[in-house]
Every structure is written in structure tokens, then in C-alpha cells.
Amino acid sequence: MIFPDWRVNDFVQRALTGYEPAVRQRFRDFLHDAMLTRDVDLFYPLASQVREAGEHGDYEAIEALCRNIRDGIERGLLVPGPALDPKVPKSTWSPRIVDERVWTLLVYGAIRSRKVDVAGMIVQEMKAVGVRPSIRIWNYILMGMVKTGAQPRMLQVLNKMREDGHEPDLMSQTIVLRALFDKRSLAQARGVFLSITGSIPSDRPWTDEETTALRSAYNVVLNGLLRCQLIEEADKVFATMGKEGPAPDVVTFNTLLNRYAHMKLPQKVKETLHIMGDRNVSPDIYTFTILFVNACHLGDDAMKHILMERMRELDIKANTALLSAAIYSILANGENDSLKHAMQLLRLMEKSPDKEARPNEITYNTILHKIRQQIEDKTIPFAAGHEQMEKIYDGMKRRMFRPNRVTLHVMMKQYLTHPHPDSLRTATAIFNELCTERVDNDDTWYIFLHGLNRRGQLELVAETIRKLQQRQSIQPKKS
């Protein structure tokens, strides 16, 4: 029998508010269990929750969800195991299966929140209920270590993988490769890449999965070599793609274009575009974004116009990255009303119905950095720039963006130069937040000490130096 919605809603309302406290609590527990089993069973509501928590850095929500699942397993409400065949009908009251997808999703959410220790806790919970972590889960943890700068612990994870019966796959090796290039450990990176190329099967065609993984490794190597200014070596690696290595795709060409643009090598940018055309690789929105940003830096308005026209011809819509570059270009012009126009474009992005065109962390970081630079160059008044920076920073937090180290460094600099006493307290709070989250680096301490010194806060300088001497993870530079 199906009851009308009004009767169901009336019953729920009375159950939550009208009965005795013990009955109300039992009903709440029942609703909690019903929603948990539904989310685990359907998976997609669960995936939506975890992705949203990961995007907002809400690792506590992911921890709570993991505890709820473990509690459900202990009470027999849920059972760990492989996913059921969807063709097999489910019994209405049978326990719901917590399969590998659920555990992988939780680990992914923890890594997205930049909490490797929470991901490790989830792995321990898996093992406690008799579930063996897959290599995909271990790879997520490796990726998390690269993102959070915990590369020294990667060897421990690789050893745990082997103890668990998993040999590192192509994805594992590629993640290690990225970490080695980040640390500029070139000899070790070359060794890992040689191991990858030596493992390429030559007696049969590659599977689509192998081709994708191999291409990802090549793209990481090209990016790493060019970051180290090793252009000739990168050219040699690229020359092998499509021969003994996988054929380059649009990501490969975007990697090359991005690096050559950063290195201010317009001739290499042109050569890469020609090769891209010769190989019939179509540009995507990221290709246009890289070229648009490069044109902004070069002050080439004609090129920007050509790129926008070409995008219209290909029916490619401007995305967040392109619009962020446009804001940077407006601010870089240095005109009297550039700040006003940049803020107008930002407001339009914030109200855009297209999610792909809304501002992200990079947008806000770009604007904050450029306004701060203009304040230092005295091209805009300090008070007006400071007011806009505070509005943007507060707006980021209201929209649940988690400020990263770049944002916090820019804001810490700004508050340290503001004469008001409250500004010093705010700068100190930002510094403490960076240290508490363990995302501080040499620049964090230098910016804070330099700002304190300029303000004449010598006691705070001495106290901060004592803290720095106790911080083993930071090796102070001479400056």
C-alpha cells in the first residue's frame, strides 16, 4: 500500500516532535540507518556527499561517514564484500554490501581533503573488517603524499603495498616519477622512467588502459624535464612518442605549450602548434587558455582577439581558466579603472549559470596576487586595494573555498604591511593556521619574520626564530 506524501510527512513530523524522547530517538536512529543503507546501496548519493566534502576540505565529515559504516558493519546492518550482480533481485531486509567502490570513494575523499592520515585510518578500518585495499587505493594515498609534500613517506607506502601483495603498477610508478621531479631528483626519476619504458610489452598490442597509463608517464616526464629547463632531453623523449612510446595527445601538447610559454620561448610554442596540426590533434579549451594567458603576458591583444574568434568557430566556450586569465590581463593593463573592471568580471563569473565558468581558487589567487602587486607598485591606492582584497578573501571563505598556501601568503603579506594593530593579529592567525595545517614552507617563515621586523616587533621575531629552530621539517634558507 502506498501512502500519499502528506500522510508520510505528517507521520515523520509527529515522530520527530510529538512522541516521548526515547521514541523520538529510536525513530531518528531508524532514519539514520535507513539513509545510510540507502546511500551505500545506491552508491551515487554517497559519492555526491564524499565529493562535496572533499572539495570543501571537510575531512571530519568523511571520518564520521567511515565510522558510521564501520558501526553499521558491526551491527550487521552492512556487510563488507564484493558488489552483487545487479540482475540478481535483492531481499528487502538483507544487509547492504559495502564493496570496494565505497572504500575507494572514502579514501579519495580524504585525499581530496589533503588528509593522508585520514586515508590511512580508512585503510586500517578496511583491514579490520577483513577487506584488502586495492592497488587503486594505495595509488590514491601516494597521490595524496605528492600533493601534501610528504614524498619522504612514499617509500613506506610502497613497502606496505608489497606487504599487502601488490606490486606497484604503471600508475604507482608515474606518481613516484612526479614526486621525484618535484624534488629535482633527476637521476632517480630517469631510473624510474627507464624501468617504465623497459616494461612496455613488445609482443602484443597495448590495451587502452596500458596506453593511457604510459602516455600519462610520458607527459609527467616531459613536464618534469622542462621544469628543470632540460629542453633537449625533453625533445628526445617527445620524439619517441608515436614510435616506441605512445602517441601524443592533446594533454601532451598542452604540457609542452604551457612549459614553453612559462619559459618565454615563443619559437618553441609555434613549433609545437605546427606539430600539433600536422598530427591532427585538435585543441581543447586548455590549449586556448594556455595561449590566451601567454598572449596576456606578452601584451599581444591581436593574438587574444584571434584566439577568441577561433574558439567561436570551434564552438568552445570560455571556461574558468580563460576568464581568470582575462581578469589578470585587465589588471595588468594598469589603467585607472582596471580594478573596477576586473571586479565586474569576477561578479559576472560568480553569478554565471555555467559551472565551468565560475571562479575557482586560481581565479581568486590571481586577483589577490595582482592587487597586492599593484599596491606594492603604488599603481592603486593602498586603502582601496586592501578593501578589495579583504572582500575577495571573505568571499572565498563564504563560498567554501579552502584558501591554499599561495592565498594565505598573499594575505599575510598584506596584513603585515597594514598599520592597524588588528592587522598584526590577523597576520599572526594566518601564520599559525599554515603551521598547524603543516603546509608552511621556507617562504612562510621568511614572509612572517620579514613583516614582523619591518613593524619593529622584535620580541615576536625572537619568539618566532625559537619556534623555527624547533621545526625539524623546515630547513631555513640564508635569507
Side-chain angles (χ1 to χ4, degrees):
M1 181 178 180
I2 298 175
F3 292 104
D5 288 346
W6 70 268
R7 288 192 64 181
V8 175
N9 292 335
D10 181 62
F11 170 72
V12 171
Q13 185 65 25
R14 282 187 288 110
L16 289 174
T17 60
Y19 295 137
E20 292 296 319
V23 176
R24 292 205 303 267
Q25 186 57 50
R26 285 186 65 187
F27 188 74
R28 288 193 187 98
D29 291 344
F30 170 78
L31 282 180
H32 171 271
D33 288 352
M35 291 170 68
L36 180 64
T37 53
R38 178 208 64 184
D39 291 350
V40 168
D41 192 35
L42 296 177
F43 183 72
Y44 297 106
L46 194 70
S48 178
Q49 290 177 50
V50 172
R51 288 195 184 100
E52 186 176 351
E55 284 174 10
H56 296 151
D58 189 3
Y59 66 91
E60 291 176 344
I62 294 166
E63 281 184 306
L65 186 55
C66 183
R67 284 195 299 270
N68 287 338
I69 288 173
R70 174 68 189 276
D71 176 63
I73 291 171
E74 289 176 348
R75 292 188 291 116
L77 192 69
L78 304 168
V79 293
L84 292 175
D85 186 336
K87 296 176 185 175
V88 177
K90 298 173 185 175
S91 168
T92 306
W93 298 108
S94 64
R96 283 347 192 201
I97 304 291
V98 183
D99 61 28
E100 184 189 321
R101 295 180 309 164
V102 174
W103 297 110
T104 305
L105 179 69
L106 292 171
V107 170
Y108 164 81
I111 295 303
R112 190 76 190 268
S113 302
R114 303 177 69 86
K115 288 291 180 182
V116 179
D117 54 337
V118 174
M121 178 272 290
I122 294 166
V123 168
Q124 293 305 316
E125 292 287 351
M126 287 179 68
K127 290 183 173 181
V129 295
V131 179
R132 179 184 174 216
S134 66
I135 194 161
R136 189 178 178 192
I137 285 176
W138 288 115
N139 285 342
Y140 273 138
I141 292 175
L142 286 172
M143 278 192 277
M145 289 184 162
V146 174
K147 286 183 178 179
T148 56
Q151 290 96 328
R153 290 168 53 199
M154 290 180 77
L155 184 59
Q156 298 172 19
V157 174
L158 290 169
N159 288 335
K160 285 181 181 178
M161 283 173 67
R162 292 189 177 98
E163 289 170 9
D164 206 41
H166 293 297
E167 273 303 312
D169 63 2
L170 265 173
M171 182 59 70
S172 315
Q173 291 176 297
T174 302
I175 296 165
V176 171
L177 200 55
R178 184 181 288 116
L180 291 170
F181 275 118
D182 284 347
K183 290 175 64 182
R184 300 295 192 271
S185 301
L186 294 179
Q188 289 175 279
R190 290 185 183 109
V192 172
F193 184 54
L194 193 62
S195 171
I196 289 172
T197 55
S199 68
I200 297 176
S202 56
D203 56 342
R204 60 171 176 81
W206 305 331
T207 65
D208 289 345
E209 189 177 348
E210 286 172 336
T211 303
T212 302
L214 281 168
R215 189 183 288 120
S216 177
Y218 272 80
N219 291 345
V220 166
V221 170
L222 289 172
N223 187 59
L225 291 172
L226 290 175
R227 281 176 65 191
C228 298
Q229 310 284 316
L230 298 171
I231 298 171
E232 288 185 15
E233 191 173 347
D235 285 343
K236 288 177 182 175
V237 171
F238 179 67
T240 65
M241 296 187 75
K243 297 174 183 176
E244 57 260 42
D249 64 354
V250 67
V251 177
T252 310
F253 285 105
N254 287 346
T255 300
L256 296 173
L257 289 169
N258 188 43
R259 281 293 145 208
Y260 291 142
H262 273 291
M263 294 160 73
K264 296 182 173 61
L265 297 172
Q267 189 57 40
K268 293 294 287 185
V269 170
K270 288 178 183 176
E271 286 175 15
T272 305
L273 287 170
H274 282 305
I275 297 169
M276 192 175 180
D278 292 343
R279 299 208 184 188
N280 294 318
V281 177
S282 300
D284 62 9
I285 182 60
Y286 300 104
T287 314
F288 283 103
T289 301
I290 292 162
L291 297 173
F292 190 89
V293 171
N294 189 44
C296 289
H297 289 161
L298 296 173
D300 191 341
D301 292 332
M303 178 55 71
K304 285 189 281 184
H305 180 73
I306 291 168
L307 290 168
M308 295 303 288
E309 285 298 319
R310 183 66 178 139
M311 283 176 65
R312 287 191 192 97
E313 290 171 13
L314 296 173
D315 196 25
I316 296 176
K317 294 181 181 178
N319 68 352
T320 301
L322 191 73
L323 292 169
S324 300
I327 289 176
Y328 182 90
S329 179
I330 292 168
L331 289 169
N333 284 337
E335 296 175 0
N336 291 335
D337 54 357
S338 62
L339 181 57
K340 175 185 170 184
H341 290 156
M343 295 304 293
Q344 285 173 348
L345 181 51
L346 177 63
R347 298 292 171 252
L348 286 173
M349 289 176 70
E350 288 173 340
K351 294 175 183 177
S352 173
D354 183 4
K355 283 183 70 176
E356 297 299 317
R358 290 178 195 159
N360 59 14
E361 290 175 9
I362 297 171
T363 313
Y364 291 113
N365 288 338
T366 299
I367 301 172
L368 287 170
H369 178 76
K370 196 61 189 172
I371 294 175
R372 173 66 195 160
Q373 191 178 53
Q374 289 187 321
I375 289 172
E376 289 178 344
D377 296 341
K378 298 183 179 178
T379 55
I380 60 172
F382 184 96
H386 184 81
E387 181 184 357
Q388 290 298 342
M389 287 183 74
E390 284 197 311
K391 283 182 180 177
I392 293 165
Y393 184 55
D394 290 340
M396 278 185 77
K397 291 189 285 188
R398 275 199 315 274
R399 289 175 178 81
M400 301 299 290
F401 283 109
R402 191 180 185 190
N404 61 15
R405 184 165 61 201
V406 175
T407 309
L408 294 173
H409 279 181
V410 170
M411 293 309 299
M412 186 164 63
K413 277 184 187 179
Q414 179 63 19
Y415 282 115
L416 283 167
T417 53
H418 197 284
H420 198 280
D422 285 345
S423 295
L424 178 59
R425 283 193 286 275
T426 306
T428 304
I430 292 172
F431 173 74
N432 290 335
E433 180 183 345
L434 284 159
C435 294
T436 302
E437 292 288 327
R438 293 275 174 180
V439 291
D440 56 318
N441 62 6
D442 294 334
D443 290 337
T444 309
W445 292 81
Y446 175 78
I447 291 165
F448 191 57
L449 283 166
H450 184 66
L452 292 177
N453 193 48
R454 289 186 65 177
R455 293 179 76 108
Q457 298 287 332
L458 300 184
E459 287 185 14
L460 269 175
V461 168
E463 182 185 335
T464 305
I465 289 172
R466 283 195 294 272
K467 289 180 182 176
L468 177 59
Q469 289 168 339
Q470 295 167 4
R471 194 65 179 265
Q472 295 179 355
S473 60
I474 299 291
Q475 296 296 322
K477 294 176 183 175
K478 188 175 180 181
S479 57

